[in-house]
Amino acid sequence: MTENRRYYYLKLKESFYNSETMVILESMQDGLLYSNLLLKMYLMALKSNGVLMLNERLPHTPQTIATFTRHQVGTVERALKVFIEFGLVEVLTDGAFYMADMQLLIGQSSTEGERKKKERSRLERKKLLPGGAVDICPPNGEVDKCPSILEYRDKEIRDKSTENREGERARAFGRYENVRLTDIELAELQAEFPTVWESYVEKLSAYMESTGKTYKSHAATIRRWAAEDGKKGGGLPAYTYKEGESL
């Protein structure tokens, strides 16, 4: 089997459909359609290392994805928004859709993580990932003085700190994009505080930005603040944080 051909098959773990992301996805309205579409998109992206390409030059669009997967265009457009929110799909700077976990679904288990990092590094070097940097390190081997490597290393540390114990990646919320919540944490907060969860996210975002404070768990901090407000006022107010206000 050649190097290219070994990428033409998809490997799903036994627990794939029992993962938290897939359980939430399939519980949505049209969730089973989204699940079927996601699997077909993975298969479509196999030959191009996760990027959905119609040919060597043209990326797939929602319309062409709908044609090849035999789903309605509206379904594809709604599903893509969900996939992007869940971190399953990323939009590259050239407009192509990239299946973010593709490198975890091909090849040997022992090299899954390294293959995903290598593919992301390749996309970053080509400036395809939003915010991706070009490797501008000098050829003298002084890695610790290389800005791009130091930035990548710091990002790896930050990303690792935002994973929960199951390894689920957290996403940024709030005006200052500093409140980190996983999809499960966000869904739980929305269920527990349906009318004020967003107010507390903004409150925490502004407070951390203005004071420089950090918290181990942002979801736990929001719950604690909501509980304290509930004890004070007998309910959960739609709170708006003001700059300079002490908490």
Side-chain angles (χ1 to χ4, degrees):
M1 184 175 293
T2 65
E3 177 69 15
N4 289 332
R5 288 184 61 80
R6 72 187 181 94
Y7 285 84
Y8 293 176
Y9 67 90
L10 189 68
K11 181 185 68 175
L12 297 182
K13 295 180 179 179
E14 182 182 6
S15 59
F16 178 77
Y17 282 105
N18 291 325
S19 66
E20 294 174 337
T21 298
M22 293 305 297
V23 170
I24 293 177
L25 180 68
E26 292 193 332
S27 67
M28 295 179 174
Q29 183 177 357
D30 293 331
L32 293 179
L33 292 178
Y34 297 166
S35 175
N36 177 266
L37 175 63
L38 180 66
L39 185 57
K40 289 183 176 180
M41 288 172 62
Y42 276 132
L43 293 171
M44 290 169 59
L46 273 176
K47 294 183 180 181
S48 51
N49 286 322
V51 183
L52 281 165
M53 299 296 294
L54 185 60
N55 55 41
E56 292 183 355
R57 297 183 179 181
L58 294 177
H60 272 289
T61 65
Q63 289 75 20
T64 60
I65 292 173
T67 298
F68 281 90
T69 60
R70 296 171 297 283
H71 282 282
Q72 297 294 324
V73 175
T75 300
V76 172
E77 291 175 340
R78 292 191 300 273
L80 284 171
K81 291 181 180 180
V82 174
F83 296 162
I84 292 171
E85 290 177 357
F86 278 25
L88 298 170
V89 172
E90 296 181 32
V91 181
L92 302 182
T93 56
D94 62 356
F97 296 111
Y98 174 59
M99 309 303 291
D101 288 335
M102 176 60 77
Q103 302 306 314
L104 302 181
L105 303 176
I106 58 178
Q108 299 298 316
S109 298
S110 60
T111 61
E112 285 177 350
E114 188 61 31
R115 183 172 291 114
K116 182 175 181 179
K117 288 182 181 180
K118 184 184 296 184
E119 179 62 16
R120 292 188 66 86
S121 296
R122 183 186 70 81
L123 293 172
E124 286 175 355
R125 286 196 300 273
K126 297 181 70 174
K127 292 185 177 181
L128 287 174
L129 280 177
V134 177
D135 188 356
I136 58 174
C137 297
N140 57 12
E142 296 184 61
V143 175
D144 291 335
K145 295 182 181 180
C146 174
S148 61
I149 289 184
L150 290 175
E151 181 180 353
Y152 178 77
R153 185 181 298 167
D154 291 342
K155 183 178 183 300
E156 286 289 296
I157 294 174
R158 292 195 302 271
D159 287 349
K160 188 173 181 61
S161 68
T162 63
E163 293 181 356
N164 65 7
R165 62 189 178 190
E166 288 81 20
E168 185 187 1
R169 183 61 55 85
R171 295 187 288 122
F173 295 89
R175 178 178 181 181
Y176 300 99
E177 298 184 347
N178 53 357
V179 177
R180 309 294 299 187
L181 299 170
T182 66
D183 293 329
I184 293 297
E185 290 172 334
L186 177 63
E188 290 175 345
L189 290 175
Q190 290 173 332
E192 293 174 33
F193 316 113
T195 61
V196 295
W197 69 269
E198 193 168 9
S199 295
Y200 278 102
V201 168
E202 295 300 333
K203 172 183 176 181
L204 179 57
S205 179
Y207 182 63
M208 291 194 298
E209 179 68 17
S210 63
T211 64
K213 289 187 176 181
T214 59
Y215 296 91
K216 183 176 181 181
S217 170
H218 294 167
T221 301
I222 290 174
R223 286 193 178 90
R224 177 169 62 83
W225 285 3
E228 291 174 352
D229 286 346
K231 291 179 181 179
K232 293 176 183 178
L236 300 178
Y239 189 89
T240 300
Y241 175 74
K242 300 179 178 62
E243 293 287 347
E245 181 180 0
S246 60
L247 295 174

